[in-house]
PDB file of all heavy atoms in Angstrom:
ATOM      1  N   LYS A   1       0.839  -1.214  -0.009  1.00  0.00           N
ATOM      2  CA  LYS A   1       0.045  -0.058  -0.075  1.00  0.00           C
ATOM      3  C   LYS A   1       0.819   1.322  -0.084  1.00  0.00           C
ATOM      4  O   LYS A   1       0.619   2.221  -0.645  1.00  0.00           O
ATOM      5  CB  LYS A   1      -0.990   0.006   1.209  1.00  0.00           C
ATOM      6  CG  LYS A   1      -2.029  -1.027   1.134  1.00  0.00           C
ATOM      7  CD  LYS A   1      -2.974  -0.885   2.315  1.00  0.00           C
ATOM      8  CE  LYS A   1      -4.152  -1.949   2.100  1.00  0.00           C
ATOM      9  NZ  LYS A   1      -5.047  -1.939   3.365  1.00  0.00           N
ATOM     10  N   GLU A   2       1.943   1.251   0.771  1.00  0.00           N
ATOM     11  CA  GLU A   2       2.902   2.342   0.807  1.00  0.00           C
ATOM     12  C   GLU A   2       3.470   2.640  -0.661  1.00  0.00           C
ATOM     13  O   GLU A   2       3.659   3.676  -0.993  1.00  0.00           O
ATOM     14  CB  GLU A   2       3.882   2.250   1.769  1.00  0.00           C
ATOM     15  CG  GLU A   2       3.373   2.351   3.350  1.00  0.00           C
ATOM     16  CD  GLU A   2       4.459   2.134   4.330  1.00  0.00           C
ATOM     17  OE1 GLU A   2       5.600   1.814   3.784  1.00  0.00           O
ATOM     18  OE2 GLU A   2       4.140   2.318   5.466  1.00  0.00           O
ATOM     19  N   GLU A   3       3.894   1.405  -1.239  1.00  0.00           N
ATOM     20  CA  GLU A   3       4.368   1.730  -2.545  1.00  0.00           C
ATOM     21  C   GLU A   3       3.511   2.192  -3.503  1.00  0.00           C
ATOM     22  O   GLU A   3       3.735   3.011  -4.451  1.00  0.00           O
ATOM     23  CB  GLU A   3       5.006   0.257  -3.102  1.00  0.00           C
ATOM     24  CG  GLU A   3       6.206  -0.202  -2.268  1.00  0.00           C
ATOM     25  CD  GLU A   3       7.381   0.664  -2.493  1.00  0.00           C
ATOM     26  OE1 GLU A   3       7.453   1.295  -3.624  1.00  0.00           O
ATOM     27  OE2 GLU A   3       8.293   0.698  -1.685  1.00  0.00           O
ATOM     28  N   GLU A   4       2.176   1.628  -3.493  1.00  0.00           N
ATOM     29  CA  GLU A   4       1.156   2.102  -4.283  1.00  0.00           C
ATOM     30  C   GLU A   4       0.802   3.640  -4.132  1.00  0.00           C
ATOM     31  O   GLU A   4       0.649   4.346  -5.137  1.00  0.00           O
ATOM     32  CB  GLU A   4      -0.206   1.304  -4.145  1.00  0.00           C
ATOM     33  CG  GLU A   4      -0.114  -0.206  -4.671  1.00  0.00           C
ATOM     34  CD  GLU A   4      -1.388  -0.952  -4.259  1.00  0.00           C
ATOM     35  OE1 GLU A   4      -2.214  -0.318  -3.592  1.00  0.00           O
ATOM     36  OE2 GLU A   4      -1.435  -2.079  -4.662  1.00  0.00           O
ATOM     37  N   GLN A   5       0.935   4.068  -2.851  1.00  0.00           N
ATOM     38  CA  GLN A   5       0.662   5.424  -2.597  1.00  0.00           C
ATOM     39  C   GLN A   5       1.734   6.297  -3.253  1.00  0.00           C
ATOM     40  O   GLN A   5       1.609   7.367  -3.808  1.00  0.00           O
ATOM     41  CB  GLN A   5       0.627   5.654  -1.063  1.00  0.00           C
ATOM     42  CG  GLN A   5      -0.646   5.247  -0.443  1.00  0.00           C
ATOM     43  CD  GLN A   5      -0.724   5.471   1.098  1.00  0.00           C
ATOM     44  OE1 GLN A   5       0.331   5.894   1.619  1.00  0.00           O
ATOM     45  NE2 GLN A   5      -1.753   5.053   1.757  1.00  0.00           N
ATOM     46  N   LYS A   6       2.982   5.769  -3.101  1.00  0.00           N
ATOM     47  CA  LYS A   6       4.146   6.579  -3.746  1.00  0.00           C
ATOM     48  C   LYS A   6       3.888   6.588  -5.253  1.00  0.00           C
ATOM     49  O   LYS A   6       4.145   7.717  -5.781  1.00  0.00           O
ATOM     50  CB  LYS A   6       5.472   5.876  -3.413  1.00  0.00           C
ATOM     51  CG  LYS A   6       5.857   5.965  -1.947  1.00  0.00           C
ATOM     52  CD  LYS A   6       7.234   5.300  -1.640  1.00  0.00           C
ATOM     53  CE  LYS A   6       7.477   5.392  -0.131  1.00  0.00           C
ATOM     54  NZ  LYS A   6       8.924   4.751   0.101  1.00  0.00           N
ATOM     55  N   ASP A   7       3.633   5.472  -5.860  1.00  0.00           N
ATOM     56  CA  ASP A   7       3.435   5.446  -7.308  1.00  0.00           C
ATOM     57  C   ASP A   7       2.282   6.437  -7.742  1.00  0.00           C
ATOM     58  O   ASP A   7       2.402   7.176  -8.716  1.00  0.00           O
ATOM     59  CB  ASP A   7       2.981   4.037  -7.773  1.00  0.00           C
ATOM     60  CG  ASP A   7       4.127   3.136  -7.482  1.00  0.00           C
ATOM     61  OD1 ASP A   7       5.369   3.593  -7.424  1.00  0.00           O
ATOM     62  OD2 ASP A   7       3.965   1.858  -7.478  1.00  0.00           O
ATOM     63  N   MET A   8       1.064   6.363  -6.958  1.00  0.00           N
ATOM     64  CA  MET A   8       0.037   7.335  -7.384  1.00  0.00           C
ATOM     65  C   MET A   8       0.451   8.837  -7.160  1.00  0.00           C
ATOM     66  O   MET A   8       0.096   9.678  -7.931  1.00  0.00           O
ATOM     67  CB  MET A   8      -1.160   7.015  -6.366  1.00  0.00           C
ATOM     68  CG  MET A   8      -1.935   5.805  -6.756  1.00  0.00           C
ATOM     69  SD  MET A   8      -3.464   5.648  -5.910  1.00  0.00           S
ATOM     70  CE  MET A   8      -2.905   5.167  -4.383  1.00  0.00           C
ATOM     71  N   THR A   9       1.321   9.019  -6.152  1.00  0.00           N
ATOM     72  CA  THR A   9       1.727  10.405  -5.996  1.00  0.00           C
ATOM     73  C   THR A   9       2.667  10.814  -7.196  1.00  0.00           C
ATOM     74  O   THR A   9       2.613  12.030  -7.609  1.00  0.00           O
ATOM     75  CB  THR A   9       2.516  10.563  -4.664  1.00  0.00           C
ATOM     76  OG1 THR A   9       1.682  10.050  -3.492  1.00  0.00           O
ATOM     77  CG2 THR A   9       3.039  11.950  -4.377  1.00  0.00           C
ATOM     78  N   GLN A  10       3.504   9.928  -7.576  1.00  0.00           N
ATOM     79  CA  GLN A  10       4.381  10.277  -8.644  1.00  0.00           C
ATOM     80  C   GLN A  10       3.535  10.405  -9.908  1.00  0.00           C
ATOM     81  O   GLN A  10       3.862  11.272 -10.725  1.00  0.00           O
ATOM     82  CB  GLN A  10       5.476   9.107  -8.832  1.00  0.00           C
ATOM     83  CG  GLN A  10       6.372   9.038  -7.836  1.00  0.00           C
ATOM     84  CD  GLN A  10       7.444   7.818  -8.059  1.00  0.00           C
ATOM     85  OE1 GLN A  10       7.218   7.003  -8.864  1.00  0.00           O
ATOM     86  NE2 GLN A  10       8.328   7.746  -7.142  1.00  0.00           N
ATOM     87  N   VAL A  11       2.461   9.555 -10.125  1.00  0.00           N
ATOM     88  CA  VAL A  11       1.689   9.760 -11.281  1.00  0.00           C
ATOM     89  C   VAL A  11       0.981  11.111 -11.363  1.00  0.00           C
ATOM     90  O   VAL A  11       0.878  11.800 -12.407  1.00  0.00           O
ATOM     91  CB  VAL A  11       0.614   8.660 -11.313  1.00  0.00           C
ATOM     92  CG1 VAL A  11      -0.395   8.840 -12.455  1.00  0.00           C
ATOM     93  CG2 VAL A  11       1.345   7.243 -11.713  1.00  0.00           C
ATOM     94  N   ILE A  12       0.443  11.497 -10.162  1.00  0.00           N
ATOM     95  CA  ILE A  12      -0.344  12.828 -10.093  1.00  0.00           C
ATOM     96  C   ILE A  12       0.766  13.982 -10.365  1.00  0.00           C
ATOM     97  O   ILE A  12       0.455  14.830 -11.126  1.00  0.00           O
ATOM     98  CB  ILE A  12      -0.807  12.905  -8.736  1.00  0.00           C
ATOM     99  CG1 ILE A  12      -2.069  12.016  -8.446  1.00  0.00           C
ATOM    100  CG2 ILE A  12      -1.439  14.446  -8.457  1.00  0.00           C
ATOM    101  CD1 ILE A  12      -2.638  11.907  -7.115  1.00  0.00           C
ATOM    102  N   GLY A  13       1.923  13.811  -9.775  1.00  0.00           N
ATOM    103  CA  GLY A  13       2.975  14.833 -10.082  1.00  0.00           C
ATOM    104  C   GLY A  13       3.278  14.839 -11.504  1.00  0.00           C
ATOM    105  O   GLY A  13       3.527  15.996 -12.179  1.00  0.00           O
ATOM    106  N   THR A  14       3.548  13.651 -12.161  1.00  0.00           N
ATOM    107  CA  THR A  14       3.733  13.684 -13.654  1.00  0.00           C
ATOM    108  C   THR A  14       2.737  14.297 -14.469  1.00  0.00           C
ATOM    109  O   THR A  14       3.026  15.153 -15.393  1.00  0.00           O
ATOM    110  CB  THR A  14       4.070  12.195 -14.048  1.00  0.00           C
ATOM    111  OG1 THR A  14       5.136  11.594 -13.277  1.00  0.00           O
ATOM    112  CG2 THR A  14       4.529  12.194 -15.592  1.00  0.00           C
ATOM    113  N   LEU A  15       1.443  13.918 -14.091  1.00  0.00           N
ATOM    114  CA  LEU A  15       0.345  14.513 -14.968  1.00  0.00           C
ATOM    115  C   LEU A  15       0.214  16.038 -14.703  1.00  0.00           C
ATOM    116  O   LEU A  15       0.050  16.783 -15.620  1.00  0.00           O
ATOM    117  CB  LEU A  15      -1.005  13.926 -14.375  1.00  0.00           C
ATOM    118  CG  LEU A  15      -1.281  12.484 -14.841  1.00  0.00           C
ATOM    119  CD1 LEU A  15      -2.491  11.791 -14.216  1.00  0.00           C
ATOM    120  CD2 LEU A  15      -1.255  12.328 -16.340  1.00  0.00           C
ATOM    121  N   SER A  16       0.537  16.489 -13.507  1.00  0.00           N
ATOM    122  CA  SER A  16       0.502  17.869 -13.185  1.00  0.00           C
ATOM    123  C   SER A  16       1.598  18.662 -14.061  1.00  0.00           C
ATOM    124  O   SER A  16       1.376  19.723 -14.668  1.00  0.00           O
ATOM    125  CB  SER A  16       0.633  18.180 -11.713  1.00  0.00           C
ATOM    126  OG  SER A  16      -0.354  17.563 -10.924  1.00  0.00           O
ATOM    127  N   GLU A  17       2.728  17.944 -14.128  1.00  0.00           N
ATOM    128  CA  GLU A  17       3.887  18.663 -14.878  1.00  0.00           C
ATOM    129  C   GLU A  17       3.488  18.734 -16.358  1.00  0.00           C
ATOM    130  O   GLU A  17       3.676  19.617 -17.108  1.00  0.00           O
ATOM    131  CB  GLU A  17       5.112  17.896 -14.570  1.00  0.00           C
ATOM    132  CG  GLU A  17       5.702  18.072 -13.255  1.00  0.00           C
ATOM    133  CD  GLU A  17       6.966  17.242 -13.055  1.00  0.00           C
ATOM    134  OE1 GLU A  17       7.358  16.497 -14.019  1.00  0.00           O
ATOM    135  OE2 GLU A  17       7.594  17.319 -11.979  1.00  0.00           O
ATOM    136  N   LEU A  18       2.941  17.527 -16.925  1.00  0.00           N
ATOM    137  CA  LEU A  18       2.565  17.575 -18.266  1.00  0.00           C
ATOM    138  C   LEU A  18       1.535  18.536 -18.667  1.00  0.00           C
ATOM    139  O   LEU A  18       1.589  19.219 -19.625  1.00  0.00           O
ATOM    140  CB  LEU A  18       2.101  16.112 -18.683  1.00  0.00           C
ATOM    141  CG  LEU A  18       3.183  14.982 -18.779  1.00  0.00           C
ATOM    142  CD1 LEU A  18       2.494  13.652 -18.906  1.00  0.00           C
ATOM    143  CD2 LEU A  18       4.083  15.328 -19.814  1.00  0.00           C
ATOM    144  N   THR A  19       0.521  18.601 -17.714  1.00  0.00           N
ATOM    145  CA  THR A  19      -0.583  19.518 -17.909  1.00  0.00           C
ATOM    146  C   THR A  19       0.008  21.041 -17.978  1.00  0.00           C
ATOM    147  O   THR A  19      -0.440  21.795 -18.752  1.00  0.00           O
ATOM    148  CB  THR A  19      -1.626  19.492 -16.789  1.00  0.00           C
ATOM    149  OG1 THR A  19      -1.979  18.048 -16.845  1.00  0.00           O
ATOM    150  CG2 THR A  19      -2.804  20.409 -17.087  1.00  0.00           C
ATOM    151  N   LYS A  20       0.868  21.315 -17.020  1.00  0.00           N
ATOM    152  CA  LYS A  20       1.495  22.661 -16.913  1.00  0.00           C
ATOM    153  C   LYS A  20       2.215  22.953 -18.342  1.00  0.00           C
ATOM    154  O   LYS A  20       2.123  24.131 -18.771  1.00  0.00           O
ATOM    155  CB  LYS A  20       2.438  22.748 -15.768  1.00  0.00           C
ATOM    156  CG  LYS A  20       1.714  22.729 -14.402  1.00  0.00           C
ATOM    157  CD  LYS A  20       2.740  22.893 -13.310  1.00  0.00           C
ATOM    158  CE  LYS A  20       2.065  22.911 -12.007  1.00  0.00           C
ATOM    159  NZ  LYS A  20       3.019  22.927 -10.797  1.00  0.00           N
ATOM    160  N   GLU A  21       2.938  21.959 -18.811  1.00  0.00           N
ATOM    161  CA  GLU A  21       3.694  22.117 -19.982  1.00  0.00           C
ATOM    162  C   GLU A  21       2.670  22.518 -21.195  1.00  0.00           C
ATOM    163  O   GLU A  21       2.929  23.404 -21.973  1.00  0.00           O
ATOM    164  CB  GLU A  21       4.642  20.986 -20.466  1.00  0.00           C
ATOM    165  CG  GLU A  21       5.839  20.821 -19.324  1.00  0.00           C
ATOM    166  CD  GLU A  21       6.798  21.967 -19.686  1.00  0.00           C
ATOM    167  OE1 GLU A  21       6.836  22.452 -20.797  1.00  0.00           O
ATOM    168  OE2 GLU A  21       7.562  22.251 -18.693  1.00  0.00           O
ATOM    169  N   GLN A  22       1.663  21.505 -21.266  1.00  0.00           N
ATOM    170  CA  GLN A  22       0.708  21.758 -22.271  1.00  0.00           C
ATOM    171  C   GLN A  22      -0.015  23.127 -22.196  1.00  0.00           C
ATOM    172  O   GLN A  22      -0.208  23.693 -23.174  1.00  0.00           O
ATOM    173  CB  GLN A  22      -0.303  20.541 -22.298  1.00  0.00           C
ATOM    174  CG  GLN A  22       0.381  19.310 -22.690  1.00  0.00           C
ATOM    175  CD  GLN A  22      -0.646  18.170 -22.629  1.00  0.00           C
ATOM    176  OE1 GLN A  22      -1.942  18.269 -22.172  1.00  0.00           O
ATOM    177  NE2 GLN A  22      -0.348  16.913 -23.158  1.00  0.00           N
ATOM    178  N   GLU A  23      -0.417  23.458 -20.996  1.00  0.00           N
ATOM    179  CA  GLU A  23      -0.960  24.852 -20.797  1.00  0.00           C
ATOM    180  C   GLU A  23      -0.081  25.933 -21.115  1.00  0.00           C
ATOM    181  O   GLU A  23      -0.460  26.958 -21.830  1.00  0.00           O
ATOM    182  CB  GLU A  23      -1.356  24.925 -19.194  1.00  0.00           C
ATOM    183  CG  GLU A  23      -2.542  24.145 -18.845  1.00  0.00           C
ATOM    184  CD  GLU A  23      -2.832  24.378 -17.390  1.00  0.00           C
ATOM    185  OE1 GLU A  23      -2.170  25.071 -16.801  1.00  0.00           O
ATOM    186  OE2 GLU A  23      -3.880  23.855 -16.938  1.00  0.00           O
ATOM    187  N   LYS A  24       1.163  25.733 -20.935  1.00  0.00           N
ATOM    188  CA  LYS A  24       2.168  26.702 -21.347  1.00  0.00           C
ATOM    189  C   LYS A  24       2.217  26.873 -22.800  1.00  0.00           C
ATOM    190  O   LYS A  24       2.211  28.022 -23.360  1.00  0.00           O
ATOM    191  CB  LYS A  24       3.551  26.488 -20.738  1.00  0.00           C
ATOM    192  CG  LYS A  24       4.556  27.540 -20.960  1.00  0.00           C
ATOM    193  CD  LYS A  24       5.897  27.098 -20.331  1.00  0.00           C
ATOM    194  CE  LYS A  24       6.911  28.213 -20.530  1.00  0.00           C
ATOM    195  NZ  LYS A  24       8.227  27.839 -20.025  1.00  0.00           N
ATOM    196  N   GLN A  25       2.334  25.707 -23.612  1.00  0.00           N
ATOM    197  CA  GLN A  25       2.236  25.798 -24.970  1.00  0.00           C
ATOM    198  C   GLN A  25       1.046  26.411 -25.567  1.00  0.00           C
ATOM    199  O   GLN A  25       0.980  27.237 -26.470  1.00  0.00           O
ATOM    200  CB  GLN A  25       2.402  24.408 -25.530  1.00  0.00           C
ATOM    201  CG  GLN A  25       3.672  23.708 -25.266  1.00  0.00           C
ATOM    202  CD  GLN A  25       3.868  22.403 -25.739  1.00  0.00           C
ATOM    203  OE1 GLN A  25       2.949  21.740 -26.322  1.00  0.00           O
ATOM    204  NE2 GLN A  25       5.044  21.798 -25.488  1.00  0.00           N
ATOM    205  N   ARG A  26      -0.191  25.997 -24.931  1.00  0.00           N
ATOM    206  CA  ARG A  26      -1.444  26.573 -25.422  1.00  0.00           C
ATOM    207  C   ARG A  26      -1.475  28.009 -25.223  1.00  0.00           C
ATOM    208  O   ARG A  26      -1.936  28.855 -26.002  1.00  0.00           O
ATOM    209  CB  ARG A  26      -2.565  25.866 -24.704  1.00  0.00           C
ATOM    210  CG  ARG A  26      -2.864  24.404 -24.892  1.00  0.00           C
ATOM    211  CD  ARG A  26      -3.247  24.157 -26.351  1.00  0.00           C
ATOM    212  NE  ARG A  26      -3.449  22.694 -26.465  1.00  0.00           N
ATOM    213  CZ  ARG A  26      -3.904  22.113 -27.659  1.00  0.00           C
ATOM    214  NH1 ARG A  26      -4.045  22.904 -28.670  1.00  0.00           N
ATOM    215  NH2 ARG A  26      -4.095  20.890 -27.629  1.00  0.00           N
ATOM    216  N   GLU A  27      -0.937  28.503 -24.005  1.00  0.00           N
ATOM    217  CA  GLU A  27      -1.016  30.003 -23.757  1.00  0.00           C
ATOM    218  C   GLU A  27      -0.093  30.686 -24.760  1.00  0.00           C
ATOM    219  O   GLU A  27      -0.489  31.760 -25.234  1.00  0.00           O
ATOM    220  CB  GLU A  27      -0.534  30.256 -22.437  1.00  0.00           C
ATOM    221  CG  GLU A  27      -1.448  29.806 -21.272  1.00  0.00           C
ATOM    222  CD  GLU A  27      -0.925  29.992 -19.915  1.00  0.00           C
ATOM    223  OE1 GLU A  27       0.248  30.300 -19.856  1.00  0.00           O
ATOM    224  OE2 GLU A  27      -1.632  29.741 -18.957  1.00  0.00           O
ATOM    225  N   GLU A  28       1.014  30.021 -25.173  1.00  0.00           N
ATOM    226  CA  GLU A  28       1.937  30.805 -26.115  1.00  0.00           C
ATOM    227  C   GLU A  28       1.255  30.826 -27.451  1.00  0.00           C
ATOM    228  O   GLU A  28       1.291  31.696 -28.323  1.00  0.00           O
ATOM    229  CB  GLU A  28       3.128  30.006 -26.280  1.00  0.00           C
ATOM    230  CG  GLU A  28       4.107  30.147 -24.996  1.00  0.00           C
ATOM    231  CD  GLU A  28       5.430  29.203 -25.169  1.00  0.00           C
ATOM    232  OE1 GLU A  28       5.566  28.451 -26.108  1.00  0.00           O
ATOM    233  OE2 GLU A  28       6.227  29.301 -24.321  1.00  0.00           O
ATOM    234  N   GLU A  29       0.522  29.755 -27.891  1.00  0.00           N
ATOM    235  CA  GLU A  29      -0.328  29.636 -29.162  1.00  0.00           C
ATOM    236  C   GLU A  29      -1.318  30.744 -29.158  1.00  0.00           C
ATOM    237  O   GLU A  29      -1.467  31.588 -30.137  1.00  0.00           O
ATOM    238  CB  GLU A  29      -0.827  28.305 -29.425  1.00  0.00           C
ATOM    239  CG  GLU A  29       0.100  27.257 -29.742  1.00  0.00           C
ATOM    240  CD  GLU A  29      -0.553  25.702 -29.931  1.00  0.00           C
ATOM    241  OE1 GLU A  29      -1.648  25.822 -29.683  1.00  0.00           O
ATOM    242  OE2 GLU A  29       0.223  24.792 -30.189  1.00  0.00           O
ATOM    243  N   GLN A  30      -2.060  30.934 -27.942  1.00  0.00           N
ATOM    244  CA  GLN A  30      -3.032  31.890 -27.845  1.00  0.00           C
ATOM    245  C   GLN A  30      -2.441  33.288 -28.100  1.00  0.00           C
ATOM    246  O   GLN A  30      -3.038  34.107 -28.655  1.00  0.00           O
ATOM    247  CB  GLN A  30      -3.688  31.839 -26.541  1.00  0.00           C
ATOM    248  CG  GLN A  30      -4.726  30.665 -26.442  1.00  0.00           C
ATOM    249  CD  GLN A  30      -5.361  30.697 -25.087  1.00  0.00           C
ATOM    250  OE1 GLN A  30      -4.969  31.212 -24.130  1.00  0.00           O
ATOM    251  NE2 GLN A  30      -6.677  30.128 -25.013  1.00  0.00           N
ATOM    252  N   LYS A  31      -1.253  33.567 -27.382  1.00  0.00           N
ATOM    253  CA  LYS A  31      -0.614  34.837 -27.587  1.00  0.00           C
ATOM    254  C   LYS A  31      -0.356  35.039 -29.092  1.00  0.00           C
ATOM    255  O   LYS A  31      -0.598  36.257 -29.599  1.00  0.00           O
ATOM    256  CB  LYS A  31       0.602  34.864 -26.762  1.00  0.00           C
ATOM    257  CG  LYS A  31       0.347  34.980 -25.230  1.00  0.00           C
ATOM    258  CD  LYS A  31       1.683  35.030 -24.423  1.00  0.00           C
ATOM    259  CE  LYS A  31       1.321  35.039 -22.945  1.00  0.00           C
ATOM    260  NZ  LYS A  31       2.797  35.089 -22.256  1.00  0.00           N
ATOM    261  N   ASP A  32       0.275  34.060 -29.789  1.00  0.00           N
ATOM    262  CA  ASP A  32       0.628  34.127 -31.115  1.00  0.00           C
ATOM    263  C   ASP A  32      -0.555  34.555 -32.021  1.00  0.00           C
ATOM    264  O   ASP A  32      -0.575  35.345 -32.774  1.00  0.00           O
ATOM    265  CB  ASP A  32       1.377  33.008 -31.553  1.00  0.00           C
ATOM    266  CG  ASP A  32       2.684  32.761 -31.001  1.00  0.00           C
ATOM    267  OD1 ASP A  32       3.145  33.825 -30.356  1.00  0.00           O
ATOM    268  OD2 ASP A  32       3.207  31.658 -31.039  1.00  0.00           O
ATOM    269  N   MET A  33      -1.666  33.737 -31.633  1.00  0.00           N
ATOM    270  CA  MET A  33      -2.883  33.916 -32.490  1.00  0.00           C
ATOM    271  C   MET A  33      -3.586  35.382 -32.210  1.00  0.00           C
ATOM    272  O   MET A  33      -4.044  36.003 -33.091  1.00  0.00           O
ATOM    273  CB  MET A  33      -3.876  32.823 -32.180  1.00  0.00           C
ATOM    274  CG  MET A  33      -3.414  31.506 -32.939  1.00  0.00           C
ATOM    275  SD  MET A  33      -4.796  30.355 -32.654  1.00  0.00           S
ATOM    276  CE  MET A  33      -4.629  29.927 -30.913  1.00  0.00           C
ATOM    277  N   THR A  34      -3.414  35.733 -30.917  1.00  0.00           N
ATOM    278  CA  THR A  34      -3.973  37.129 -30.652  1.00  0.00           C
ATOM    279  C   THR A  34      -3.169  38.129 -31.419  1.00  0.00           C
ATOM    280  O   THR A  34      -3.706  39.078 -31.961  1.00  0.00           O
ATOM    281  CB  THR A  34      -3.912  37.316 -29.131  1.00  0.00           C
ATOM    282  OG1 THR A  34      -4.530  36.252 -28.441  1.00  0.00           O
ATOM    283  CG2 THR A  34      -4.468  38.700 -28.740  1.00  0.00           C
ATOM    284  N   GLN A  35      -1.794  38.017 -31.394  1.00  0.00           N
ATOM    285  CA  GLN A  35      -1.067  38.944 -32.232  1.00  0.00           C
ATOM    286  C   GLN A  35      -1.375  38.958 -33.689  1.00  0.00           C
ATOM    287  O   GLN A  35      -1.461  40.065 -34.281  1.00  0.00           O
ATOM    288  CB  GLN A  35       0.446  38.768 -31.983  1.00  0.00           C
ATOM    289  CG  GLN A  35       0.987  38.946 -30.581  1.00  0.00           C
ATOM    290  CD  GLN A  35       2.346  38.523 -30.368  1.00  0.00           C
ATOM    291  OE1 GLN A  35       3.018  37.956 -31.379  1.00  0.00           O
ATOM    292  NE2 GLN A  35       2.957  38.814 -29.198  1.00  0.00           N
ATOM    293  N   VAL A  36      -1.609  37.740 -34.250  1.00  0.00           N
ATOM    294  CA  VAL A  36      -1.871  37.631 -35.692  1.00  0.00           C
ATOM    295  C   VAL A  36      -3.248  38.340 -35.934  1.00  0.00           C
ATOM    296  O   VAL A  36      -3.406  38.945 -36.884  1.00  0.00           O
ATOM    297  CB  VAL A  36      -1.934  36.126 -36.173  1.00  0.00           C
ATOM    298  CG1 VAL A  36      -2.512  36.053 -37.536  1.00  0.00           C
ATOM    299  CG2 VAL A  36      -0.525  35.582 -35.998  1.00  0.00           C
TER     300      VAL A  36
END
């Protein structure tokens, strides 16, 4: 159970990081499109 909790915590952290990266890319695309 402790190992599963660690794995779930790592998964949540990885998903959060990926989401942040994608949000950052989307925000940059929005800025570019707004400028265009």
